[in-house]
């Protein structure tokens, strides 16, 4: 950003004397060239470089002096720059340069604008501010002789909040029912007119000037009727006034493919499945103890031959299916939540089965390393029934393609039945929510918010274009009404669908204040008043720090470090990368880590470096894992592998502190999730090619154990306990059922060897993957698949039943958890020994049995924990302890938990 421009008393005086008369076309006047300092881009009305941040202030990143500056507005939107002059008929609002630029309070609220020049709206023109916001807006600067120096569009999100948010944030939007009669309300403060299209007829709506909300009260007969809003508004993206027919952003029901909203009362008893009002939930698990299975609705059942409703919400009511039987086993072991990938209205899936394309070839015929399968799947990917769903169209309506009928309220009833089915199986339900972007913006077909209040709900860059750092059109929850939409939507899911938790996609793109507002609103929900206990709803999300808002550039973000101590957890990538090795975007996927053989079982990849380099990196990974096992506590003090006494925050993770949490529960541990390769596929790339299927299964359990046995919550991608593979696909968001479907029956395999993964995101790794896909050592059988799941369930049960894994404070972790061999000559590369209360846990990632001598425990009785001693893993049963020497013997590629006698 440039510094504030110099100003003169002459320029200020001329600005104060500027006429208020209408601006008329000057096309007949002799053209005058703009000042060289700002030409030619300075005269560009397709950009919006000025920002009207409150009723009295415009911020503009401009250089040099000007004699006058104005806002020019035209309701019909016909202002243009012609021959270096502003042409068209408009009205003027005079601006005065503000000495010293933005105030301290304004800089604090808009830190990214701190170096902008500030201009104050002339007091005589302030009565026209609201009217000006309903048309085209242009900010101009001119020299003393009238030469146009600068002209640009104007961003208005700040002034809209200043003028309207106090009243608008209290308004009830969308369809609201009272006594069976609906009221429909839409926030559209910049609209020139808004009407309701109901059953093909136009109904007038009334505007409230204080809030900018348009509303209309309807009759009982409106219930169940289809509707849209007809909004006439200036649209900067197309530089004209448009009339948009648009669905309700607060929709509670939709027709198929979201073509119309439906006026529906979610409290209507007809929409409640049997037993809904009396639904008994499993006992709430505190976030710090949550064991979570991340699951995609369609993946769960689409290839389950025992499911009666494959690919649907109702598959979770098929109690006798293989999938539901497996979920019940996990619940009995101690898994507490199923985290559903996005299940709100998705913009990239045709909702009618008849409109969904399917691959037109025999996918089972080509070889396991062929590129034919991916080519066939890719041809229909854009029109098939599959997508992860990170493409929100309407935030508060269930996705229609998962319902037996997408038209109407079946999706509402069946989503509720899904929640019932999961709750009845002992599992609470978490929704993956995506409020940080929309599937489209501007005048695109699938744009909703931006057609109603253009330039407000989407986050804009300095030139007025929509930010796309999230891969799509970013939203701006820092703006009051987008923030309100987030809160209102989540409260609806909690109250009306009895959802037990929410996972925020790219939560770091939200302000911390917005997430805390969500927490406050949920906490206010009570069983007596709302039917749910909001304080028991868990919240966690991706606290990544990147994009135009990185490092708190625009607001205090909901990132890992900023959310510590709030009770809202963030995913921790520290342990994930240490256990797998390298990072998700390595050019060579063979970079090894703790659980993939680094130094102790090296592969052929030169990317791992020399043996000395491997050993050093492995020991550092062990330090990262030690921090992860504490719950990523920033203040936890221990001796690192180099023998130094350090805090968790002093251990380096790619230039950032490894430890950032204030208490157990602030950080969520995981070894894999839907993003990047599944754990099995990552280990396929990283373990030596000749590693047997049985050894791979053991490393899978070991890797999952580093998250399961850590303090705080942990998450696992569904099927990872069954060695789930996506045939090496690192980004299967649109790869169809062929690469994504879960296989609950071991006789159906684990998904490996279904061909080379789709080229768009994987072709650069095909050379690494092709020889793996035909390797017999990478095709597990039932012994490996079922054995992995059983061993994992033992660990989950151990985690759920031992209080030592559920320490409530950082102080308890400091006093009860230790790494007795860290930083000593006894620390073994590839082995972590953790003392935790009356337990000792040994993670042996090496291909040999290991002896861990803990002399401080000499003469103390320990034995393999009964759950493992009587458990499913025959290998770990050979783990032993010698009391006389304080020695723990642990077999290769095993995690063993010992209990004090």
């Amino acid at each position: 950003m440039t510094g504030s421009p110099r100003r003169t008393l002459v320029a200020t005086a001329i600005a104060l004397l500027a006429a208020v008369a209408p601006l008329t076309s000057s096309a007949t006047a002799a053209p005058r060239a703009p000042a060289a300092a700002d030409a030619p881009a300075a005269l560009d009305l397709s950009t919006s470089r000025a920002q009207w941040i409150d009723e009295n202030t415009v911020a503009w990143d401009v250089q040099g002096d000007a004699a006058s500056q104005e806002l020019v507005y035209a309701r019909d939107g016909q202002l243009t720059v012609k021959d270096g002059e502003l042409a068209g008929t408009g009205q003027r609002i005079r601006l005065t340069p503000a000495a010293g630029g933005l105030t301290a309070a304004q800089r604090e609220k808009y830190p990214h604008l701190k170096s902008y020049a500030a201009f104050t709206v002339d007091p005589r023109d302030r009565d026209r501010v609201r009217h000006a916001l309903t048309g085209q807006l242009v900010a101009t600067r001119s020299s003393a002789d009238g030469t146009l120096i600068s002209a640009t569009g104007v961003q208005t999100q700040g002034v809209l909040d200043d003028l309207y948010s106090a009243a608008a944030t209290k308004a009830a939007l969308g369809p609201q029912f009272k006594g069976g009669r609906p009221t429909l309300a839409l926030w559209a403060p910049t609209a020139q007119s808004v009407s309701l299209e109901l059953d093909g007829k136009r109904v007038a709506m009334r505007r409230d000037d204080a809030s900018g909300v348009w509303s209309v009260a309807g009759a009982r007969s409106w219930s169940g009727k289809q509707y849209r809003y007809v909004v006439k508004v200036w649209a900067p993206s197309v530089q004209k006034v448009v009339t948009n027919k648009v669905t309700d952003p607060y929709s509670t029901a939709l027709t198929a493919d979201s073509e119309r909203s439906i006026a529906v009362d979610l409290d209507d008893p007809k929409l409640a499945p049997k037993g809904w009002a009396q639904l008994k939930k499993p006992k709430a698990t505190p976030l710090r103890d949550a064991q979570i299975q991340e699951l995609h609705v369609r993946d769960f059942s689409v290839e389950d031959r025992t499911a009666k409703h494959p690919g649907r919400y109702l598959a979770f009511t098929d109690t006798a299916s293989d999938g539901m039987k497996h979920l019940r086993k996990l619940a009995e072991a101690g898994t507490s939540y199923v985290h559903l990938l996005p299940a709100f209205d998705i913009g990239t899936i045709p909702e009618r089965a008849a409109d969904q394309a399917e691959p037109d070839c025999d996918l089972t015929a080509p070889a396991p390393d062929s590129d034919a399968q991916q080519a066939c799947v890719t041809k229909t990917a854009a029109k098939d029934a599959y997508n992860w769903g990170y493409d929100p169209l309407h935030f508060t309506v269930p996705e229609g393609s998962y319902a037996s009928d997408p038209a109407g309220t079946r999706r509402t009833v069946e989503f509720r039945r899904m929640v019932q089915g999961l709750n009845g199986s002992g599992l609470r339900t978490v929704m993956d929510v995506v409020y940080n972007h929309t599937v489209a913006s501007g005048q695109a077909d699938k744009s909703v918010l931006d057609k109603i209040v253009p330039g407000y709900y989407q986050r804009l860059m300095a030139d007025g274009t929509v930010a796309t750092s999230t891969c799509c059109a970013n939203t701006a929850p820092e703006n009051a009404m987008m923030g309100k939409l987030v809160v209102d939507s989540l409260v609806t899911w909690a109250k009306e669908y009895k959802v037990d938790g929410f996972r925020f996609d790219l939560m770091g793109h939200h302000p911390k204040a917005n997430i805390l507002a969500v927490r406050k609103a949920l906490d206010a929900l009570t069983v007596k008043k709302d039917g749910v206990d909001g304080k028991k709803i868990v919240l966690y999300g991706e606290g990544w720090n990147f994009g135009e808002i990185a490092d708190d550039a625009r607001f205090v973000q909901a990132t890992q470090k900023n959310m510590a101590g709030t009770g809202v957890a963030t995913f921790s990538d520290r342990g994930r990368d240490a256990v797998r090795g390298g990072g998700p975007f390595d050019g060579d996927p063979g970079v090894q880590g703790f659980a993939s053989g680094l130094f102790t079982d090296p592969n052929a990849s030169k990317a791992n470096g020399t043996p000395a380099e491997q050993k050093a990196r492995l020991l550092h990974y062990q330090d990262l894992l030690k921090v992860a096992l504490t719950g990523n506590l920033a203040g936890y003090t221990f001796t690192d592998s180099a023998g130094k006494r350090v805090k968790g925050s002093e251990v380096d993770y790619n230039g950032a502190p490894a430890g950032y949490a204030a208490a157990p529960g602030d950080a969520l541990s995981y070894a894999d999730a839907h993003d990047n390769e599944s754990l099995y596929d990552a280990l396929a790339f990283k373990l030596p090619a000749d590693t047997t299927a049985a050894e791979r299964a053991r490393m899978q359990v070991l890797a999952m154990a580093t998250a399961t046995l850590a303090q705080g919550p942990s998450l696992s991608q569904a099927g990872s306990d069954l060695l789930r593979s996506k045939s090496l696909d690192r980004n299967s968001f649109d790869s169809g059922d062929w690469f994504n479907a879960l296989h609950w029956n071991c006789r159906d395999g684990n998904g490996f060897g279904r061909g080379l993964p789709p080229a768009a995101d994987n072709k650069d790794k095909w050379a690494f993957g092709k020889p793996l896909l035909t390797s017999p050592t990478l095709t597990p059988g039932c012994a490996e698949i079922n054995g992995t799941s059983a061993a994992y369930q033992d660990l989950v049960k151990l985690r759920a039943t031992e209080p030592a894994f559920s320490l409530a404070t950082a102080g308890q972790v400091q006093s009860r958890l230790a790494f007795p061999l860290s930083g000593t000559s006894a620390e073994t590369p590839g082995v972590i020994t953790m003392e935790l209360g009356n337990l000792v846990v040994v993670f042996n990632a090496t291909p040999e049995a290991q002896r861990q001598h803990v002399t401080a425990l000499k003469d103390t009785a320990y034995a393999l924990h009964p759950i493992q001693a009587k458990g499913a893993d025959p290998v770990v049963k050979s783990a032993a302890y010698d009391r006389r020497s304080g020695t723990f013997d642990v077999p290769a590629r095993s995690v063993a938990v010992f209990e004090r006698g």
Side-chain angles (χ1 to χ4, degrees), residues 152-177:
T152 185
V154 182
Q155 298 184 34
T156 60
Q157 56 270 42
V159 67
L160 290 175
D161 275 351
D162 188 41
L163 291 172
Y164 296 108
S165 67
T169 52
K170 299 173 185 175
L173 301 176
Q176 302 290 325
F177 281 78

Side-chain angles (χ1 to χ4, degrees), residues 385-402:
Y386 195 88
N387 198 283
W388 277 349
Y390 293 92
D391 302 310
L393 188 50
H394 296 86
F395 293 109
T396 323
V397 181
E399 162 60 18
S401 68
Y402 301 146

